[in-house]
Amino acid sequence: MGSAKAFAKGPRIIDLDILYFDDAVIDSAGLQIPHPRMADRRFVLVPLAEIAPGLRHPVSQKTTAEMLQATSDRSEVREIP
């Protein structure tokens, strides 16, 4: 989604982040695709790399696996059994 400030005005029933939409690049006031901070979030990259390690970011041209390897986020991501 767009700026968190624009949408974080209170509790939300659902928060849906669109990571990709084909190879589309959208940058509008209410929507940014691909998600602008996905490369900084291991909780996004780890599961995405499990299902699509070769998926290429339409702007940076890095694959999911490359973004995961390069991210500075060192938080732990664990599968819940």
Side-chain angles (χ1 to χ4, degrees), residues 7-14:
F7 295 98
K9 303 232 184 242
R12 295 172 281 175
I13 293 173
I14 189 169

Side-chain angles (χ1 to χ4, degrees), residues 17 35 37-46 71 73 75:
D17 291 328
H35 192 283
R37 290 173 303 285
M38 67 183 289
D40 302 324
R41 297 177 171 169
R42 283 183 52 83
F43 73 88
V44 170
L45 295 172
V46 168
T71 189
D73 180 3
S75 59

Side-chain angles (χ1 to χ4, degrees), residues 49-75:
E50 289 179 7
I51 61 171
L55 185 62
R56 198 164 292 278
H57 191 284
V59 176
S60 72
Q61 292 302 306
K62 291 182 180 179
T63 66
T64 304
E66 290 168 337
M67 288 189 291
L68 179 56
Q69 185 175 16
T71 189
S72 61
D73 180 3
R74 296 293 170 227
S75 59

